[in-house]
Amino acid sequence: KAGVTQTPRYLIKTRGQQVTLSCSPISGHRSVSWYQQTPGQGLQFLFEYFSETQRNKGNFPGRFSGRQFSNSRSEMNVSTLELGDSALYLCASSPSWDGEKLFFGSGTQLSVL
Amino acid sequence: GIQVEQSPPDLILQEGANSTLRCNFSDSVNNLQWFHQNPWGQLINLFYIPSGTKQNGRLSATTVATERYSLLYISSSQTTDSGVYFCAVERAGTSGSRLTFGEGTQLTVNP
């Protein structure tokens, strides 16, 4: 069974641009969550989706948004990029909604210049 | 929110040595997981262990939920065990899988 797939692996953008990251969960998994990892703040929860609905949201500004499609694939979007948005963005999937083991993808390394 | 503290922050071992990593958390939890982040950045799930003891090969973990701590044991360490080990929890009474991560333990195993 294929693991969690994130694309692209690396991305370079400039301030003010927007970016869309993609995540395909493990087949059969219906919950997808996103995390941001930076050297200063560590791993922080962004949001979680289940059955195309956002179920939880972390403490990030509205420039960070996401969605989930009917096939459970998810995208996250960051608008008006800032230098501080440079980070490793990790996607995780789990079979269902609550109290499950998370499986992470390899991440998308975003650099904002 | 819930606080997660991991110790030690850094650990250097010789191949073959044993080690214990600790995770303390500030509130009751309904979800606790241990991860290993490899040099390429991927987080590998080692254990889902909100309570009790589990073993997987050279690794084992114990969570004492009533005392709010979890331990990860690595025996006969190998160079491939190097990387960062994270403990992540979800506070009891919340739903979903919104994990709070500790700052990690950076493990280096030398040949």
Side-chain angles (χ1 to χ4, degrees):
Chain A
K1 191 183 268 192
V4 178
T5 304
Q6 290 189 245
T7 56
R9 185 71 178 95
Y10 300 95
L11 205 48
I12 299 175
K13 293 285 187 178
T14 56
R15 280 181 298 174
Q17 287 187 311
Q18 74 165 14
V19 66
T20 299
L21 312 181
S22 179
C23 173
S24 293
I26 291 171
S27 178
H29 285 195
R30 297 172 61 196
S31 177
V32 172
S33 50
W34 290 87
Y35 290 79
Q36 181 198 62
Q37 185 176 26
T38 60
Q41 299 298 317
L43 279 149
Q44 293 186 289
F45 172 80
L46 279 158
F47 25 64
E48 179 181 17
Y49 288 88
F50 180 78
S51 293
E52 302 178 64
T53 302
Q54 187 180 91
R55 302 295 178 130
N56 273 311
K57 190 177 191 305
N59 296 323
F60 280 82
R63 299 184 298 105
F64 291 81
S65 63
R67 59 179 174 169
Q68 186 180 33
F69 302 96
S70 59
N71 62 358
S72 294
R73 190 177 70 86
S74 177
E75 290 181 347
M76 67 163 282
N77 184 276
V78 187
S79 62
T80 319
L81 284 165
E82 301 177 0
L83 296 179
D85 297 333
S86 294
L88 179 65
Y89 290 89
L90 291 159
C91 167
S93 75
S94 60
S96 60
W97 161 233
D98 205 4
E100 295 274 0
K101 189 172 179 177
L102 292 190
F103 297 86
F104 280 84
S106 298
T108 293
Q109 183 67 55
L110 172 65
S111 298
V112 182
L113 306 178
Chain B
I2 192 167
Q3 305 299 313
V4 182
E5 294 183 359
Q6 291 186 242
S7 59
D10 297 280
L11 187 58
I12 300 174
L13 302 173
Q14 286 298 121
E15 203 166 24
N18 302 328
S19 62
T20 301
L21 282 57
R22 187 177 179 101
C23 171
N24 293 332
F25 41 94
S26 61
D27 207 343
S28 300
V29 299
N30 60 10
N31 188 339
L32 187 147
Q33 302 184 38
W34 282 97
F35 296 90
H36 173 217
Q37 188 166 39
N38 64 26
W40 298 273
Q42 184 163 12
L43 282 167
I44 307 298
N45 194 304
L46 300 175
F47 294 102
Y48 168 76
I49 188 167
S51 63
T53 297
K54 290 186 178 180
Q55 180 156 7
N56 184 2
R58 296 182 296 103
L59 303 181
S60 63
T62 294
T63 297
V64 184
T66 54
E67 297 188 22
R68 298 182 184 170
Y69 73 89
S70 182
L71 302 174
L72 177 69
Y73 305 96
I74 304 174
S75 64
S76 303
S77 58
Q78 301 174 358
T79 56
T80 51
D81 294 331
S82 295
V84 184
Y85 289 80
F86 289 101
C87 168
V89 304
E90 182 180 14
R91 188 171 56 84
T94 60
S95 59
S97 298
R98 176 178 182 156
L99 295 180
T100 299
F101 282 77
E103 294 190 352
T105 292
Q106 174 75 59
L107 174 65
T108 302
V109 181
N110 293 320

